Amino acid sequence: MKLVVLGAAGRMGRTLVKVIAETEGASLHAALAREGSASIGADAGIIAGIGASDVAISSDVDRALQGADGIVDFTAPAISLAFAEKAAERRLVHVIGTTGFQAEQDSAIASAAKAGATIVKSGNMSLGVNLLAVLVEQAAEALGPDTFDIEVLEMHHRHKVDAPSGTALLLGAAAAKGRGVALEDAAVKVRDGITGAREAGTIGFATLRGGSVVGEHSVILAGEGERINLSHAAGDRAIFARGAVKAALWAGGKPAGLYSMRDVLGLS
Ligand SMILES: NC(=O)C1=CN([C@@H]2O[C@H](COP(=O)(O)OP(=O)(O)OC[C@H]3O[C@@H](n4cnc5c(N)ncnc54)[C@H](OP(=O)(O)O)[C@@H]3O)[C@@H](O)[C@H]2O)C=CC1
Ligand SMILES: O=C(O)C1=N[C@H](C(=O)O)C[C@H](O)C1
């Protein structure tokens, strides 16, 4: 499967170039970066630290997409949206790992999937987090809002620009599903000042940022006299890149539509 990596000089872009080189059935077709980026013209493999790949990083989108089977995209919401529309026009696979979408951007991505793109989108592409989401859903269903409160805690590196993380929202959505409510109605994303006592049934979020932390998430179910912690710690960005490349291979040949990592991993 011939893959185009977006944001090829970014943290995830570099990791993807490396993982694609290690994955049977996947090849690096093109590597894109923002126009004017210092990485333009450099070999994507050299930038990724794996030696020459013979693919130069470019900003020529039309040329990159010519002959490609899929796009793997960990960039920024506006970029992912623009590429979802291109994927729809060209009937391509589009794996979206980008986080931080507004609700209307999510709707536009769903429209691109209806218009012809085969999109796999997830706030976390790792096997571990997607399994954790299944466990959170089960726990939330079993432990009702009158006896257990749910809080989602996350920590990431100092460069992260969105909050709560895509994973925290994914885990919050799993908890909400388990409780039979919509996350938009239950979420408390910020607390400051005299907040009043905790409202039963809400799902709280707490965000920490610092250093080089790849990604740590805990869902805490707190009851009277007991507490359950369901946690995941990412030690290496390769877990996300491997999941994304697996998703691209899985999506090749699937009908257009919007899929999740739970679909890819058979955890739905
Ligand atoms: N779903 C998952 O499993 C995971 C998701 N992520 C998400 O992936 C995204 C990227 O993370 P990360 O790799 O750490 O971030 P980086 O900032 O390291 O990389 C982002 C890349 O996207 C490029 N980019 C950003 N804006 C534009 C633009 N307007 N035009 C073209 N290129 C652009 C950047 O280019 P430039 O440097 O020139 O700005 C950069 O190369 C984030 O949303 C993050 O939350 C991260 C890890 C796992
Ligand atoms: O920005 C990151 O780094 C990560 N982003 C994703 C998120 O927002 O949850 C996934 C992972 O935790 C790393």
Side-chain angles (χ1 to χ4, degrees):
M1 184 157 197
K2 291 184 270 176
L3 297 173
V4 177
V5 172
L6 305 188
R11 280 177 289 275
M12 280 305 300
R14 281 176 276 141
T15 315
L16 283 161
V17 167
K18 184 167 182 285
V19 165
I20 289 169
E22 294 165 356
T23 306
E24 217 183 303
S27 65
L28 182 65
H29 180 70
L32 283 169
R34 189 202 296 266
E35 214 174 311
S37 159
S39 64
I40 302 285
D43 186 289
I46 303 279
I47 296 288
I50 57 166
S53 65
D54 288 336
V55 175
I57 298 181
S58 125
S59 58
D60 186 340
V61 173
D62 286 332
R63 190 154 175 211
L65 295 184
Q66 227 160 49
D69 299 311
I71 301 164
V72 193
D73 169 6
F74 289 69
T75 56
I79 305 303
S80 298
L81 187 45
F83 274 86
E85 283 158 8
K86 291 180 197 300
E89 282 160 23
R90 295 167 191 253
R91 302 284 188 269
L92 294 176
V93 165
H94 186 189
V95 176
I96 304 177
T98 306
T99 58
F101 293 94
Q102 301 297 311
E104 61 276 12
Q105 292 174 316
D106 273 328
S107 305
I109 285 182
S111 300
K114 284 202 182 104
T118 303
I119 297 179
V120 181
K121 179 172 179 291
S122 177
N124 196 302
M125 297 282 172
S126 75
L127 171 62
V129 159
N130 285 281
L131 178 64
L132 180 66
V134 173
L135 301 176
V136 166
E137 189 178 324
Q138 288 173 353
E141 188 178 359
L143 305 171
D146 297 333
T147 44
F148 278 84
D149 301 320
I150 300 181
E151 295 282 311
V152 184
L153 173 65
E154 56 117 331
M155 181 158 188
H156 283 88
H157 53 91
R158 60 166 71 101
H159 305 288
K160 186 160 178 62
V161 296
D162 55 307
S165 70
T167 310
L169 294 171
L170 176 159
L171 294 169
K177 191 170 174 211
R179 290 258 166 105
V181 298
L183 182 60
E184 307 85 82
D185 300 335
V188 176
K189 292 182 182 163
V190 179
R191 292 188 182 107
D192 187 26
I194 308 293
T195 60
R198 193 183 194 286
E199 193 185 324
T202 53
I203 296 173
F205 290 84
T207 300
L208 308 180
R209 294 286 177 265
S212 59
V213 176
V214 175
E216 294 182 5
H217 294 87
S218 290
V219 178
I220 302 162
L221 294 107
E224 284 291 339
E226 58 182 335
R227 194 166 71 231
I228 298 167
N229 274 325
L230 296 171
S231 299
H232 180 270
D236 185 335
R237 288 186 175 85
I239 62 171
F240 312 128
R242 283 198 292 266
V245 174
K246 187 184 183 103
L249 295 174
W250 176 88
K254 288 269 185 310
L258 181 58
Y259 300 94
S260 69
M261 267 323 269
R262 275 167 79 164
D263 297 321
V264 174
L265 298 168
L267 295 170
S268 286

